[in-house]
Amino acid sequence: MPTQLSAAPTLDQLFLKARTHSNWLDKPVSDELLHEIYDLAKYGPTSANTSPARIVFVKSKEAKEKLLPCLMPQNVDKTKAAPVTAIIAMDMAFYEQLPKLFPHVDARAWFAGNNALIESTAFRNGSLQGGYFILAARAVGLDCGPMSGFDNGKVDAAFFAGTTWKSNFICNLGYGDASKLHPRNPRLAFAEACKIL
């Protein structure tokens, strides 16, 4: 049975003191750490274990040069400076993996040919997996700079042409420069965002 985690340092690192970074230290991120992120994030729940998220880690100079023209101008410099940028995508043919991922029923048949269900399931569950990805990256000691300020069509053309993958959002990864953080923006209080019925 799980026990409640203590606030420091675990919850601080994952939530309470974690920040969205736009400025990065000149410190590389190893491929091994990227493997660790995925190997943690993949265990987050998705409906029927659909697991539609797919991730491209943009790390090389050549790959960054393909990505930068797809970004809104205000996101170019911070993405150029980040050691790694993850494109969090979703596989619109995720259901082809269901005989392996959800083998006890014919879950593939629920989706095949049902485009509305495919799209809503891929987006909802891929977004959930993106959230798990951010927490996993923080858990292994990285900072994150997630963003949606880019042209999905351009990213898809540059990185996913001829595939069933579509971009959802991007997330810069590395070691953030805390000296350049602005004060944290407020959040809504429980009473403003929640109800107990």
Side-chain angles (χ1 to χ4, degrees), residues 89-109:
M90 50 199 163
D91 186 354
M92 304 310 288
F94 66 85
Y95 54 91
E96 298 293 356
Q97 296 292 334
L98 288 178
K100 170 183 173 180
L101 298 176
F102 205 68
H104 50 284
V105 296
D106 182 14
R108 182 191 178 280

Side-chain angles (χ1 to χ4, degrees), residues 92-155:
M92 304 310 288
F94 66 85
Y95 54 91
E96 298 293 356
Q97 296 292 334
L98 288 178
K100 170 183 173 180
L101 298 176
F102 205 68
H104 50 284
V105 296
D106 182 14
R108 182 191 178 280
W110 304 343
F111 296 97
N114 188 340
N115 288 337
L117 184 60
I118 289 167
E119 288 180 18
S120 64
T121 301
F123 182 70
R124 180 183 310 110
N125 290 281
S127 298
L128 272 174
Q129 288 186 281
Y132 306 142
F133 175 89
I134 291 169
L135 290 177
R138 289 174 173 177
V140 301
L142 294 177
D143 292 304
C144 298
M147 65 183 86
S148 56
F150 67 98
D151 185 316
N152 290 82
K154 287 183 179 179
V155 167

Side-chain angles (χ1 to χ4, degrees), residues 45-124:
T46 57
S47 61
N49 201 31
T50 49
S51 306
R54 305 292 183 264
I55 303 161
V56 173
F57 292 102
V58 178
K59 191 172 179 184
S60 70
K61 184 176 186 290
E62 295 75 22
K64 279 283 181 93
E65 286 172 357
K66 279 175 61 176
L67 178 61
L68 294 177
C70 305
L71 305 178
M72 290 183 177
Q74 65 270 26
N75 292 329
V76 170
D77 287 343
K78 57 187 170 184
T79 301
K80 190 185 295 186
V84 181
T85 303
I87 303 172
I88 311 299
M90 50 199 163
D91 186 354
M92 304 310 288
F94 66 85
Y95 54 91
E96 298 293 356
Q97 296 292 334
L98 288 178
K100 170 183 173 180
L101 298 176
F102 205 68
H104 50 284
V105 296
D106 182 14
R108 182 191 178 280
W110 304 343
F111 296 97
N114 188 340
N115 288 337
L117 184 60
I118 289 167
E119 288 180 18
S120 64
T121 301
F123 182 70
R124 180 183 310 110

Side-chain angles (χ1 to χ4, degrees), residues 124-194:
R124 180 183 310 110
N125 290 281
S127 298
L128 272 174
Q129 288 186 281
Y132 306 142
F133 175 89
I134 291 169
L135 290 177
R138 289 174 173 177
V140 301
L142 294 177
D143 292 304
C144 298
M147 65 183 86
S148 56
F150 67 98
D151 185 316
N152 290 82
K154 287 183 179 179
V155 167
D156 293 349
F159 290 91
F160 306 133
T163 76
T164 55
W165 296 17
K166 293 173 76 172
S167 57
N168 186 346
F169 69 96
I170 61 177
C171 185
N172 288 329
L173 296 171
Y175 301 92
D177 185 348
S179 72
K180 295 183 179 174
L181 286 171
H182 298 291
R184 185 172 217 157
N185 288 323
R187 300 296 195 270
L188 296 176
F190 185 95
E192 296 174 289
C194 305

